[in-house]
Amino acid sequence: MTSEFLFTDGDFSRIRTLIHRRAGIALGEHKRQMVYSRLSRRLRELGLPEFSAYLAMLEDSRDGQEWQLFINSLTTNLTSFFREAHHFPVLAELARKCAQPLTVWCAAASTGEEPYSIAITLMEALGERASTARVIATDIDTAVLARASAGVFTMEQANRMSTDRLRRFFNKGTGANAGKVRVRPEVAAMVKFSRLNLLDTSWPVKEPVDAIFCRNVMIYFDKPTQKKLLDRFMPLLKPHGLLFAGHSENASLVNQSFKTVGQTVYALGSKARA
């Protein structure tokens, strides 16, 4: 089968180097077809004949808009409401025990289902006190952040939730928006979205928070990058704070910095407290 665009081993190697340098993502050899498929859209849009021309354009622009589109193309945004449901009762218990106001950082917000699930959990746990809580929601992908900020979802996306949650925290669309729901203003007001590359030297989270959700993110990073992130998370958690990770990430987190306190839930360990 003939490919639409020339895509050499050298091109794939350059892409792996560039995305690792820019976003910390470590692409395995098995990702070659995925890379070709996703970046081919950019070549068509730009009218370029081959990957080498696209990569040369990228490297010449240094920090142009195409770099963001390159990153957007290669990030994975699998998410859903209340995904890995065992985390949310733990968050609710933490919220009830903590002094207010409460702050939670969602470090990979994607299209918004996770930070809104966090906000809903806080509202259920805290009642009226939830108005002082806030969710900092960040992601490297600007396209998904735009969708997240809109707060509009299809019924298929929302159907993971109970009828009661849908009624309490969402408005149903009508007319042209039939079959869709939008998060209620009081939920949206708790969540602030912004772009963040976890490799950036400066993060918008300046003060320690009560919880960090960084789920199914570190599996895309190599071990040195994972360690750097964990080292940076430590001072950003309050002494009672919890780190929530993805189901595939437990082995990389258990060290002197963090200790297991639940299923892929971690508290600061002896090294962090020293």
Side-chain angles (χ1 to χ4, degrees):
M1 182 177 176
T2 303
S3 297
E4 181 180 358
F5 302 104
L6 179 62
F7 185 44
T8 67
D9 291 344
D11 295 333
F12 183 48
S13 178
R14 286 168 71 189
I15 290 168
R16 293 175 72 186
T17 298
L18 292 173
I19 195 65
H20 184 267
R21 187 182 301 155
R22 287 276 171 156
I25 297 171
L27 290 173
E29 289 284 349
H30 65 290
K31 296 290 187 180
R32 180 174 178 138
Q33 187 55 45
M34 180 273 284
V35 168
Y36 177 88
S37 175
R38 292 187 182 183
L39 288 181
S40 289
R41 301 167 196 164
R42 296 305 310 142
L43 272 69
R44 291 188 200 101
E45 183 75 19
L46 296 165
L48 296 173
E50 58 191 26
F51 274 79
S52 61
Y54 177 70
L55 295 173
M57 183 199 73
L58 262 186
E59 291 169 330
D60 287 344
S61 68
R62 291 194 173 272
D63 291 300
Q65 176 62 20
E66 190 59 38
W67 274 108
Q68 183 61 57
L69 297 173
F70 170 75
I71 292 170
N72 290 359
S73 297
L74 295 180
T75 50
T76 299
N77 296 295
L78 179 64
T79 187
S80 60
F81 284 104
F82 293 92
R83 186 184 183 199
E84 300 189 48
H86 57 277
H87 283 159
F88 295 96
V90 178
L91 175 64
E93 183 181 2
L94 175 72
R96 286 189 287 265
K97 290 179 178 178
C98 288
Q100 308 307 313
L102 193 86
T103 303
V104 179
W105 177 21
C106 176
S110 189
T111 46
E113 287 93 325
E114 184 169 297
Y116 289 129
S117 297
I118 293 169
I120 289 169
T121 299
L122 297 180
M123 293 180 76
E124 290 175 336
L126 299 175
E128 292 182 0
R129 292 184 298 154
S131 62
T132 64
R134 63 185 184 128
V135 181
I136 303 168
T138 62
D139 201 280
I140 194 172
D141 188 331
T142 54
V144 296
L145 282 173
R147 290 166 58 190
S149 298
V152 176
F153 302 92
T154 64
M155 282 303 301
E156 184 179 359
Q157 292 171 301
N159 274 338
R160 286 180 64 97
M161 289 176 286
S162 67
T163 302
D164 180 59
R165 275 181 172 156
L166 279 172
R167 184 170 55 250
R168 288 178 62 192
F169 302 113
F170 294 82
N171 291 321
K172 280 191 175 182
T174 58
N177 291 313
K180 297 180 182 179
V181 294
R182 184 193 293 272
V183 293
R184 288 184 180 270
E186 58 269 30
V187 180
M190 293 176 62
V191 186
K192 181 180 180 181
F193 292 97
S194 63
R195 182 192 177 277
L196 172 67
N197 181 342
L198 286 169
L199 296 191
D200 288 348
T201 55
S202 177
W203 287 351
V205 182
K206 305 299 184 184
E207 300 294 329
V209 299
D210 297 279
I212 297 174
F213 277 68
C214 189
R215 306 194 302 176
N216 305 304
V217 177
M218 283 182 283
I219 53 172
Y220 299 105
F221 298 151
D222 57 24
K223 295 296 183 184
T225 305
Q226 290 176 4
K227 184 180 184 307
K228 288 177 183 176
L229 284 179
L230 291 174
D231 288 344
R232 294 183 70 183
F233 284 153
M234 281 192 298
L236 291 177
L237 273 177
K238 294 178 182 178
H240 62 261
L242 296 177
L243 171 63
F244 295 84
H247 66 276
S248 301
E249 296 167 325
N250 56 325
S252 63
L253 288 173
V254 179
N255 54 35
Q256 289 182 307
S257 304
F258 291 93
K259 62 181 180 182
T260 304
V261 293
Q263 185 180 351
T264 55
V265 182
Y266 304 88
L268 293 171
S270 57
K271 178 182 174 182
R273 296 178 185 278

